[in-house]
Amino acid sequence: MGPKKAVARAISQQAFDEMVQENIDDLGMDPTEALEDAIQTLTLQGVDLSGLVTCVPGESNPVMECLGKLKDDKALPEIVELLDELRVLCEDKGSGNAAIASKNGAVELILSICVKLRDERHRGLASGLSALASVIHDLQSSEIFKENDGPKIIIDILSNEREDMKVLDGCFSVVAAAATGNEVLKESFMDLKIDELIFQILKEHNGGRIPTIYDAIRVILSSDDNRVVASQVFGYARKFAKLGVGGVLVDSLREGLSSPCLISASIALKAVAVNDEICKSIAYSGGIDIILQCIDDSGVLRNVDVARACCSLLSKEVMRTRAL
């Protein structure tokens, strides 16, 4: 076994703010210099600064401002705009905004807002779900989601909002975000029969109108939790296949390059095809012919990304079905 990875030290927001203020009061630094010195000093000491608001004293932070407004019961008239604003801020991967939001109660807050919007049949539910997906960015935030009954809330919305494409897409974006790297949440969603819901929704609707449904399939069937020695995702893939998800995904590929979800559908199908039996069923449903056609079309249109995804899927299919 290799050496254990050192655990980064943590610091509270209050302690960080006090350190910056001491630089100003005791050392005579200007606010910008005081902030930069505190960040540099703590970084050299191996302190984890993720989730901290690192603004010059007196300046406001847009994430904190947005969360503050969302906590106000009077914010309902502008709730959609606030949720969309928070989503945009937290989707900026290099900003650290998602960490700031989740460390300051965003997951719990937005979950409660989504429940309220669901109960009131409010048009902002899709925006709430998208915002929720944007703040679930790591293991800690996904654990907060789990502890606040997140999986059950999402499954309930999926079960009762089957005609709203935007809400469905928002739900599956939350599933993908929460289950990434978290075996326990994958199990929670499977226990709540998300495989059956995915199959039914794919059958009822064109998957191209719910692009994140393919991401949800891929994530649930990915063994990506480093804490777990033996993942259950192989068994989950067999459950998906037994329901007929593989065949439905093959149908999704029939649209060819005209489908904006061709790549994600191909990756999802590859995640389902975990054994010979499943691969053979995909081949019998015309899967190999469809994949070959997509590869031919991608060559004509010089679409490298589609070609790569389809070739990866084809190699798995051919390896598994070469005995046919």
Side-chain angles (χ1 to χ4, degrees):
M1 294 179 65
K4 291 184 178 179
K5 186 178 180 180
V7 178
R9 297 166 56 193
I11 186 172
S12 68
Q13 185 69 54
Q14 180 180 351
F16 177 81
D17 292 341
E18 289 175 352
M19 185 175 181
V20 175
Q21 194 61 46
E22 286 175 3
N23 283 345
I24 297 173
D25 296 340
D26 299 344
L27 301 178
M29 296 181 182
D30 64 55
T32 301
E33 184 184 10
L35 176 65
E36 292 175 351
D37 179 80
I39 292 174
Q40 183 179 23
T41 300
L42 292 170
T43 301
L44 290 172
Q45 293 175 359
V47 177
D48 180 11
L49 301 181
S50 62
L52 291 182
V53 177
T54 54
C55 293
V56 172
E59 287 188 358
S60 60
N61 178 275
V63 173
M64 297 303 294
E65 280 191 348
C66 195
L67 289 177
K69 292 176 182 177
L70 285 169
K71 291 175 183 177
D72 188 348
D73 290 337
K74 298 177 182 179
L76 192 59
E78 55 177 334
I79 194 88
V80 175
E81 290 76 12
L82 289 171
L83 290 168
D84 289 342
E85 179 185 349
L86 183 63
R87 174 186 56 78
V88 171
L89 288 168
C90 293
E91 284 181 345
D92 184 355
K93 300 300 182 184
S95 66
N97 287 334
I100 292 172
S102 62
K103 192 167 185 176
N104 286 279
V107 177
E108 306 95 304
L109 174 62
I110 301 175
L111 261 176
S112 66
I113 290 173
C114 285
V115 171
K116 184 176 182 180
L117 295 175
R118 175 201 65 187
D119 294 343
E120 295 180 0
R121 310 288 294 179
H122 194 280
R123 66 184 179 87
L125 180 55
S127 291
L129 292 165
S130 296
L132 179 59
S134 74
V135 301
I136 302 174
H137 68 102
D138 61 4
L139 183 61
Q140 185 176 4
S141 53
S142 67
E143 285 295 309
I144 295 171
F145 171 79
K146 176 174 68 69
E147 291 164 4
N148 285 269
D149 215 17
K152 188 175 184 302
I153 292 170
I154 295 301
I155 293 298
D156 179 70
I157 296 173
L158 279 173
S159 300
N160 293 287
E161 300 289 342
R162 299 274 279 272
E163 299 305 317
D164 191 322
M165 300 299 103
K166 290 184 178 179
V167 168
L168 292 177
D169 197 53
C171 281
F172 286 119
S173 70
V174 173
V175 172
T180 296
N182 195 319
E183 184 81 13
V184 176
L185 270 171
K186 297 179 202 289
E187 182 177 4
S188 295
F189 282 121
M190 289 298 293
D191 288 344
L192 291 166
K193 310 295 185 185
I194 195 171
D195 51 333
E196 296 179 10
L197 279 170
I198 286 174
F199 174 69
Q200 292 163 8
I201 291 168
L202 279 173
K203 290 284 286 184
E204 292 169 7
H205 304 290
N206 181 343
R209 298 172 64 193
I210 317 169
T212 58
I213 195 169
Y214 302 115
D215 297 329
I217 295 171
R218 171 184 56 80
V219 169
I220 290 173
L221 302 184
S222 296
S223 177
D224 57 2
D225 189 337
N226 296 328
R227 303 169 300 168
V228 177
V229 176
S231 175
Q232 299 184 66
V233 298
F234 181 84
Y236 299 158
R238 293 180 64 186
K239 288 184 178 180
F240 271 79
K242 188 174 182 179
L243 285 169
V245 172
V248 178
L249 289 173
V250 169
D251 290 339
S252 298
L253 300 182
R254 294 184 190 278
E255 293 184 34
L257 272 69
S258 64
S259 170
C261 298
L262 177 59
I263 293 175
S264 53
S266 298
I267 295 171
L269 183 56
K270 183 180 177 182
V272 173
V274 295
N275 62 24
D276 295 355
E277 182 181 357
I278 297 170
C279 286
K280 288 178 181 177
S281 69
I282 292 170
Y284 285 139
S285 64
I288 291 179
D289 291 337
I290 295 170
I291 297 167
L292 287 170
Q293 184 62 57
C294 289
I295 293 173
D296 285 344
D297 293 343
S298 67
V300 173
L301 298 175
R302 299 184 182 278
N303 192 320
V304 177
D305 292 333
V306 168
R308 184 180 294 112
C310 289
C311 285
S312 177
L313 173 58
L314 180 64
S315 65
K316 191 170 189 178
E317 274 293 304
V318 170
M319 289 297 292
R320 289 285 191 179
T321 59
R322 58 186 177 181
L324 285 175

